[in-house]
Amino acid sequence: MPVEEKWKANQEKVAFMKRFPGLTLAWDHVRGKTVEAVTPLSSKPGAAVLVFSDGSFTIVPPLEPEPWELGDGLAVARHVLEPKHPEAYREYDQLVRKDKEALRAARLEKILGAIQNNLDRIPELKDRLRQLVDKWK
C-alpha cells in the first residue's frame, strides 16, 4: 500500500472515531448520566473509558489533579460537596487558614531577613525604614 493510501486510510479512521456514535466530548453532556463501566486504557496508565448507561462514552485522562486543581475544585463544587462532607470542609477551612498564616509569617521573616542582611551593605536603609515608620504614625 503506497504511503498516500495509508495516510488517507488513517485520516478516514480518525474522522470516524471522532464522530463515533455516543462519543461525548463535553462535561455538561454527561450531567445526570449513570456510569455503567470504567475500563482502563492499556496504552495510558490511569486513563479510562467511561461508559454511561445510555451507551454514550468518553475518554478521561489519569485522575491525578494538581494541588491547585484540587483547591479550585473544592471551591467551585463547595455548594454541592459541603452538605455531604461538612466535617471535611471544616477541617479544610482550618488548614487553609493555617496555610495562609504560615505564608504571612514566612513573608514577614523573609522581609526582616532581607533587611538585616542588607543593613551593613546599604547604609541609607535605616533612614529609609525610619521614614516609612514615621509615615505610618
Side-chain angles (χ1 to χ4, degrees), residues 127-137:
D127 292 333
R128 296 289 300 271
L129 287 170
R130 282 190 193 103
Q131 290 170 1
L132 273 175
V133 171
D134 289 342
K135 275 187 187 180
W136 298 327
K137 290 181 181 178

Side-chain angles (χ1 to χ4, degrees), residues 41-82:
L41 294 182
S42 58
S43 59
K44 187 171 186 179
V49 179
L50 296 183
V51 179
F52 302 100
S53 56
D54 67 353
S56 61
F57 69 98
T58 194
I59 311 298
V60 293
L63 299 178
E64 298 172 0
E66 296 291 330
W68 70 268
E69 293 169 315
L70 285 170
D72 194 29
L74 289 173
V76 300
R78 186 174 193 133
H79 68 285
V80 178
L81 291 173
E82 189 171 21

Side-chain angles (χ1 to χ4, degrees), residues 34-130:
T34 302
V35 175
E36 184 176 299
V38 177
T39 306
L41 294 182
S42 58
S43 59
K44 187 171 186 179
V49 179
L50 296 183
V51 179
F52 302 100
S53 56
D54 67 353
S56 61
F57 69 98
T58 194
I59 311 298
V60 293
L63 299 178
E64 298 172 0
E66 296 291 330
W68 70 268
E69 293 169 315
L70 285 170
D72 194 29
L74 289 173
V76 300
R78 186 174 193 133
H79 68 285
V80 178
L81 291 173
E82 189 171 21
K84 296 172 180 160
H85 306 284
E87 288 296 319
Y89 269 96
R90 277 192 280 283
E91 184 175 349
Y92 176 67
D93 290 343
Q94 181 182 6
L95 292 169
V96 167
R97 284 189 296 275
K98 182 179 178 181
D99 184 49
K100 283 182 181 177
E101 178 56 29
L103 176 60
R104 189 193 70 73
R107 284 180 176 163
L108 177 62
E109 289 301 316
K110 189 172 183 176
I111 291 167
L112 291 174
I115 291 169
Q116 288 174 338
N117 289 334
N118 286 289
L119 280 175
D120 293 337
R121 293 183 213 145
I122 308 171
E124 66 272 17
L125 184 58
K126 284 182 187 177
D127 292 333
R128 296 289 300 271
L129 287 170
R130 282 190 193 103

